[in-house]
Amino acid sequence: MPAQITLAAEDYNRLVRMSQHGENLKMAVDLQVQFHDTDLMAYNTIGEIPGSDLKKEIVMLGAHMDSGTAAQGDR
């Protein structure tokens, strides 16, 4: 599978508009990825960032810690 990247909708739409206005677009991407096949299980990552004013509050945050769906990246 070839490497893939994902752009934010705003960035993609700007490139489309520039192309529609006759701009000659060129993009360079430096992907430095590896595929590790020794452990293919997915894991949850949990961290704590202690605060001061809201230290009794809990904030939940979701993010992709890998690039498995978009490219052959680290897992």
Side-chain angles (χ1 to χ4, degrees):
M1 173 200 247
Q4 301 174 2
I5 62 169
T6 301
L7 296 174
E10 296 85 7
D11 297 328
Y12 173 79
N13 289 333
R14 181 174 185 209
L15 293 172
V16 169
R17 286 192 307 272
M18 291 172 69
S19 178
Q20 290 173 340
H21 284 103
E23 294 286 334
N24 187 12
L25 303 176
K26 186 184 252 188
M27 183 186 303
V29 180
D30 181 13
L31 297 176
Q32 298 177 14
V33 299
Q34 298 177 28
F35 181 76
H36 299 278
D37 60 358
T38 55
D39 186 359
L40 299 178
M41 296 296 295
Y43 298 95
N44 291 326
T45 302
I46 300 173
E48 181 177 349
I49 303 172
S52 57
D53 58 338
L54 299 175
K55 60 183 167 186
K56 294 188 186 286
E57 301 291 324
I58 296 175
V59 177
M60 296 183 69
L61 173 69
H64 290 280
M65 300 299 288
D66 64 11
S67 57
T69 58
Q72 295 179 3
D74 295 333
R75 291 180 181 242

